[in-house]
Amino acid sequence: MQIKKNYSIQPYNTFGIAARASRFAAFGDVQTLAALLRDNQHEHKIILGGGSNILFTNDFAGLILKNNLKGIELLRADDQYYYLKVAAGEPWHPFVQYCVDHGYAGLENLSLIPGLAGASPMQNIGAYGVEIKDVFYQLEAMRISDQTLHTFSREDCQFGYRESIFKTELKGKYIILNVTYRLLKKPILHLEYGAIREELEKAGIAVNTTTPTIKEVSEAVIRIRRSKLPDPKQIGNAGSFFKNPSIPIAQFEKLKMEHPTLPGYPLTGIGSNEQIKVAAGWLIEACGWKGYRDGDAGVHARQALVLVNYGHATGAEIYALSERIINSVENKFGIALEREVNII
Ligand code: FAD
Ligand code: EPU
């Protein structure tokens, strides 16, 4: 296995930050990964997928392990489900397309999310009314400390909104090797996000009288995303930089009196009945940040939740901008924004 030194990681993060790693190694099989972990036990390490949810605020003094594990396998099928195992290094969107093309239903709303399959459980990726936890079956991961293999069920993963145990209690302790999804034979469509219905209608699919196919839903999601989110190939970004915050109902109602257009959604699930999720993009826009630019660090002109690198911004500059945004939202609305992107 080859370990590269003082290696540029600019092509490996969608923010396009020109950082360097003191050492960098790619692995395409589990044995190589185990050897890399064993031989570099005391070195600071991170695992990198597609680099689409990460901000390097500095050069990385340690070893970056780039995941190239490949393979998609249909494990079994029963009356209702297909059990499909995907290796962590498979790119996410082509995997979703593979499922859509084979009639494996459940991931279509998650079309066009960048990154690799192995990172999908990390923050329980979600979009347009679906999160991976809805179709997740289990995953297999290697414990970094002793290279043993462990299986995690859905309950073990402790999924929440943009959360899992791998971002909290077990942060930096495991490397996800593969994920098994339990996908439906008979689709259950999630069209409650208004924009999806609108987009389908625009394409001539009358949602009230016909049932769209999962391919049509996937294509509608792709069109919506292309119209809203910047393509990292054209402008550096990592999607939503912050999470949408949840606030108590009383605070929401008070804010709504002063700001009637503030979007809010009641949360469902255990222990959430007193909370409303509010749109961070709206809060940031209301503080005047939308389209803001300082040097090459900026806030996207069409989506205030997305911070962008116009070319030569450093990770530290993007981070400093996020700090200013957090402070201004806190001062104006009394709401503390939390970063979604992993800060290194
Ligand atoms: P990376 O950025 O490489 O890694 C993210 C974190 O996971 C890091 O901490 C890394 O160390 C860790 N990690 C990666 N792989 C593994 C592994 N195998 N085992 C253990 N740890 C690992 N996200 C959404 O949820 N919904 C969206 O709609 C969405 N839209 C986006 C749109 C754009 C334009 C962009 C740029 C990003 C968007 N994202 C979205 C964020 C991002 O695409 C997802 O979080 C994606 O799952 C990250 O995958 P990745 O392989 O790039 O992870
Ligand atoms: N809004 C504004 N101004 C803005 C941006 C948004 O007022 O600049 C308002 C919109 O008008 C809308 C509301 O905020 O009323 C929500 O906006 P949108 O539907 O664009 O979604 P979002 O909350 O900004 C979330 C996810 C996205 C996901 C979309 C679709 C988070 C942090 N972000 O964005 O996920 O794709 O919904 O489901 O939950 C990501 O995680 O990286 C990501 C892109």
Side-chain angles (χ1 to χ4, degrees), residues 123 126-129 161-162 193 225 228-229 238-240 242-244 263 265 279 281-282 285 290 302-305 340:
Q123 68 158 8
Y128 300 98
Y161 164 62
R162 299 295 190 270
Y193 237 81
R225 294 183 67 95
K228 282 196 173 188
L229 289 161
S240 301
F242 305 97
K243 294 183 191 179
N244 286 324
Y265 318 91
W282 187 97
E285 182 175 349
K290 198 168 181 170
R302 272 182 287 141
Q303 228 304 357
L305 202 46
E340 177 195 298

Side-chain angles (χ1 to χ4, degrees), residues 232-253:
K233 288 199 191 90
Q234 276 150 22
I235 178 167
N237 76 91
S240 301
F241 198 89
F242 305 97
K243 294 183 191 179
N244 286 324
S246 296
I247 60 172
I249 286 179
Q251 186 185 2
F252 177 72
E253 279 168 357

Side-chain angles (χ1 to χ4, degrees), residues 66-115:
K66 172 79 181 86
N67 189 336
N68 283 342
L69 298 172
K70 291 283 161 38
I72 299 175
E73 191 187 346
L74 179 63
L75 297 179
R76 64 178 190 278
D78 58 27
D79 289 351
Q80 274 180 289
Y81 302 110
Y82 297 107
Y83 294 79
L84 201 64
K85 181 164 125 181
V86 58
E90 286 288 344
W92 178 256
H93 178 61
F95 168 63
V96 172
Q97 281 183 314
Y98 176 92
C99 295
V100 167
D101 290 344
H102 285 76
Y104 307 153
L107 293 175
E108 51 283 355
N109 292 43
L110 303 175
S111 298
L112 213 64
I113 297 180

Side-chain angles (χ1 to χ4, degrees), residues 175-253:
I175 293 179
I176 296 166
L177 303 175
N178 58 67
V179 187
T180 300
Y181 283 104
R182 196 179 72 165
L183 300 167
L184 286 162
K185 287 191 159 174
K186 192 166 175 288
I188 298 176
L189 299 180
H190 295 277
L191 308 177
E192 53 276 16
Y193 237 81
I196 298 186
R197 274 175 186 275
E198 265 171 48
E199 197 58 46
L200 287 165
E201 302 269 351
K202 261 196 255 167
I205 301 147
V207 179
N208 289 333
T209 49
T210 50
T211 307
T213 63
I214 56 173
K215 189 156 186 75
E216 286 165 342
V217 173
S218 167
E219 284 166 355
V221 168
I222 290 171
R223 285 196 298 276
I224 299 168
R225 294 183 67 95
R226 287 211 169 113
S227 72
K228 282 196 173 188
L229 289 161
D231 179 354
K233 288 199 191 90
Q234 276 150 22
I235 178 167
N237 76 91
S240 301
F241 198 89
F242 305 97
K243 294 183 191 179
N244 286 324
S246 296
I247 60 172
I249 286 179
Q251 186 185 2
F252 177 72
E253 279 168 357

Side-chain angles (χ1 to χ4, degrees), residues 47 49-53 114-116 119 122-123 125-126 162 176 225 239 342:
I47 167 103
S52 66
N53 205 21
L116 306 187
M122 283 297 295
Q123 68 158 8
I125 57 170
R162 299 295 190 270
I176 296 166
R225 294 183 67 95
N342 297 279

